[in-house]
Amino acid sequence: MAVEKFETALKKLEEVVNRLESGELSLDDSLKAFEEGVKMAAFCTKKLDEADKKVEILLKKKDGSFAKEPFRLEDD
């Protein structure tokens, strides 16, 4: 896929959704748009998963040193 940035893919996905919701596309064009949207959604999901794996927080320990720990939501 030629898309390099999450933001670009998300914008394209929003455009696809708007085109599909307009109801003005033919069946063939709707299927093509849907396929494009699925690809954009998969790309965005992949990028979000990659970002999630990279996110770390530094926690200051009692002795003044720092330790890296994986980012966790409070609900986890």
Side-chain angles (χ1 to χ4, degrees):
M1 183 176 298
V3 177
E4 296 179 16
K5 295 180 81 178
F6 172 82
E7 292 82 3
T8 303
L10 185 60
K11 183 163 180 62
K12 287 184 179 184
L13 179 57
E14 290 171 348
E15 291 169 359
V16 167
V17 169
N18 288 335
R19 288 195 330 249
L20 286 169
E21 287 180 341
S22 75
E24 296 177 8
L25 298 176
S26 68
L27 178 59
D28 286 337
D29 289 340
S30 293
L31 290 172
K32 288 177 188 175
F34 181 78
E35 183 178 357
E36 179 185 359
V38 168
K39 289 178 183 178
M40 290 296 124
F43 178 84
C44 288
T45 299
K46 180 182 174 195
K47 287 296 185 184
L48 288 172
D49 288 343
E50 289 172 2
D52 187 46
K53 291 175 185 173
K54 291 180 182 179
V55 174
E56 294 181 332
I57 56 175
L58 289 174
L59 298 176
K60 193 170 187 178
K61 297 166 95 178
K62 290 181 182 179
D63 66 3
S65 64
F66 290 92
K68 290 183 183 180
E69 291 187 10
F71 177 76
R72 285 193 169 69
L73 295 175
E74 291 182 29
D75 294 344
D76 288 350

